[in-house]
Amino acid sequence: MSNNVLVIAEMREGALKKICFEMIGEGMRIAHKLGGAVEAAVLGDEVTDKIEPLAHYGLEKIYTADDPALANYTAEGYTNVLTKLIKETEPILVLIGATTQGKDLAPRLAARLAVGLASDCTGFEVRNGNLLITRPIYAGKAIATVKEETRPYMATVRPNVFAPPEPDTSHASQVEEVPADAGNIRAKAIDMIKEAGERIELTEADIVVSGGRGLKGPENFALIERLAEVLGAAVGASRAAVDAGWKDHSYQVGQTGKVVTPTLYIACGISGAIQHLAGMKTSQYIMAINKDADAPIFKVADYGIVADLFKVVPVLTEEFEKMKAEG
Ligand SMILES: Cc1cc2nc3c(=O)[nH]c(=O)nc-3n(C[C@H](O)[C@H](O)[C@H](O)COP(=O)(O)OP(=O)(O)OC[C@H]3O[C@@H](n4cnc5c(N)ncnc54)[C@H](O)[C@@H]3O)c2cc1C
């Protein structure tokens, strides 16, 4: 077994996801403490042409598995290739993004390797040669410290928690092609159909503007969308808004929705129930607009506006527009 950290780099439409770089940064810190290096694995079709952005982050090696059968993610195909790679390279830790794909892949891979898995992790610490992993539990009400008894350690990493490192162009990583035998894939992804309209991905957005029941109806989401557009933000929603059918579930932030960690989260007409906070309370700055001064959202907010959102949101939108126009 080596002391190396292996990062499973995820691609979406030929581009590496932001979480890859966040895991490399944290992987470097862990590997340094364990006396190892960081390597990455990229699976897909014609990936060798797409890994250039990874080359300058101090990675010891980038493993590529290139095959048309790996073009679209399948749990079976990716598990087959990665099991072989992990058995051969024997890393001490495997990091996978806690994305939709990563959450599907990691348990299957861990089961195949007969190792433990810590999911949605937000902290790593090396103590006496052991890796201690922290992860929020009970919708973020408590933080658990986990010590895995099996090797390699395996963890999925919550997006937007770790800062990506700066690239270093003086170093270029070695690339090694590995067997891309996807095996017998019983469930095949035939096509990927994008949702209508271009939309900033919630979990990757730097700013999120969310609306809740306080919006009173689906038509009023236009206010949120306008503000989001001016700020270049993604739109989110509380479960109350989603359950009412005002927004699709893919917009839901919270325990049973998406976890976001943007620089700025703007909650409009959202009370701040614990299940909603579970999805956004680790945002760097939280701004809340609510007409009820006692709403729980104000307990986590850095900036609070006690007012009618129908009056405040248009004014904010207008002011941000002016600021943008002035440069
Ligand atoms: C198992 C479980 C899982 C859950 N998962 C999630 C989840 O993932 N995400 C989630 O969001 N919830 C989740 N919930 C639901 C959660 O408990 C709350 O019911 C929900 O978050 C409430 O949504 P809300 O804040 O939009 O609505 P409300 O709680 O009704 O709050 C509306 C707010 O709008 C304010 N308001 C009204 N009018 C105005 C106005 N004109 N201007 C300004 N403010 C105004 C009110 O003062 C109020 O604070 C879950 C619940 C359970 C039991």
Side-chain angles (χ1 to χ4, degrees), residues 173-241:
S173 307
Q174 194 191 332
V175 179
E176 183 179 325
E177 199 162 332
V178 296
D181 184 8
N184 178 27
I185 305 174
R186 287 167 297 175
K188 287 198 176 106
I190 297 163
D191 200 4
M192 303 285 241
I193 300 160
K194 257 183 133 180
E195 261 185 275
E198 282 296 321
R199 186 171 127 195
I200 300 171
E201 168 62 31
L202 250 184
T203 53
E204 306 240 326
D206 196 41
I207 306 177
V208 174
V209 187
S210 279
R213 202 185 332 247
L215 278 168
K216 311 245 186 308
E219 65 285 359
N220 295 328
F221 254 96
L223 285 175
I224 302 295
E225 273 147 17
R226 184 78 197 101
L227 176 58
E229 194 189 320
V230 171
L231 292 173
V235 172
S238 73
R239 177 159 161 183

Side-chain angles (χ1 to χ4, degrees), residues 139 211-216 237-243 246 249 252-258 265 267-280 289-298 305-313:
R213 202 185 332 247
L215 278 168
K216 311 245 186 308
S238 73
R239 177 159 161 183
V242 169
D243 283 354
W246 302 349
H249 181 259
Q252 186 176 316
V253 172
Q255 184 185 333
T256 41
K258 289 184 173 152
Y265 186 87
C268 309
I270 293 177
S271 60
I274 181 75
Q275 296 89 353
H276 187 80
L277 300 186
M280 44 60 78
I289 304 165
N290 197 304
K291 65 177 184 184
D292 175 8
D294 295 324
I297 191 80
F298 288 125
I305 303 177
V306 182
D308 183 346
L309 73 87
F310 293 100
K311 289 187 182 141
V312 171
V313 174

Side-chain angles (χ1 to χ4, degrees), residues 19-280:
I19 180 69
C20 304
F21 302 97
E22 295 167 10
M23 290 192 291
I24 290 170
E26 186 57 12
M28 288 288 175
R29 205 184 59 79
I30 303 165
H32 182 70
K33 296 225 162 124
L34 292 170
V38 182
E39 301 178 322
V42 192
L43 280 60
D45 186 21
E46 296 180 6
V47 281
T48 323
D49 307 338
K50 298 164 190 152
I51 56 168
E52 165 63 18
L54 274 185
H56 308 295
Y57 284 88
L59 291 168
E60 182 85 354
K61 209 177 258 184
I62 304 170
Y63 299 103
T64 58
D66 224 319
D67 194 283
L70 300 170
N72 284 336
Y73 164 78
T74 59
E76 283 178 309
Y78 276 46
T79 302
N80 288 339
V81 173
L82 288 170
T83 303
K84 199 155 180 281
L85 177 68
I86 292 167
K87 281 188 173 163
E88 269 167 24
T89 57
E90 296 191 319
I92 194 164
L93 167 67
V94 179
L95 295 177
I96 302 174
T99 57
T100 308
Q101 179 178 309
K103 286 179 193 170
D104 188 58
L105 170 69
R108 194 179 187 102
L109 192 56
R112 184 74 66 82
L113 293 163
V115 298
L117 169 69
S119 57
D120 206 18
C121 303
T122 54
F124 297 87
E125 192 192 330
V126 178
R127 210 183 288 164
N128 302 326
N130 290 311
L131 185 67
L132 301 181
I133 305 174
T134 51
R135 51 184 299 263
I137 55 169
Y138 302 125
K141 268 188 173 168
I143 304 287
T145 302
V146 180
K147 181 171 161 256
E148 291 180 15
E149 298 292 340
T150 45
R151 305 284 183 280
Y153 299 113
M154 195 176 283
T156 60
V157 180
R158 182 179 285 201
N160 300 320
V161 172
F162 301 106
E166 289 296 322
D168 170 11
T169 43
S170 66
H171 171 278
S173 307
Q174 194 191 332
V175 179
E176 183 179 325
E177 199 162 332
V178 296
D181 184 8
N184 178 27
I185 305 174
R186 287 167 297 175
K188 287 198 176 106
I190 297 163
D191 200 4
M192 303 285 241
I193 300 160
K194 257 183 133 180
E195 261 185 275
E198 282 296 321
R199 186 171 127 195
I200 300 171
E201 168 62 31
L202 250 184
T203 53
E204 306 240 326
D206 196 41
I207 306 177
V208 174
V209 187
S210 279
R213 202 185 332 247
L215 278 168
K216 311 245 186 308
E219 65 285 359
N220 295 328
F221 254 96
L223 285 175
I224 302 295
E225 273 147 17
R226 184 78 197 101
L227 176 58
E229 194 189 320
V230 171
L231 292 173
V235 172
S238 73
R239 177 159 161 183
V242 169
D243 283 354
W246 302 349
K247 276 282 162 206
D248 178 81
H249 181 259
S250 60
Y251 287 82
Q252 186 176 316
V253 172
Q255 184 185 333
T256 41
K258 289 184 173 152
V259 175
V260 299
T261 321
T263 308
L264 176 64
Y265 186 87
I266 307 180
C268 309
I270 293 177
S271 60
I274 181 75
Q275 296 89 353
H276 187 80
L277 300 186
M280 44 60 78

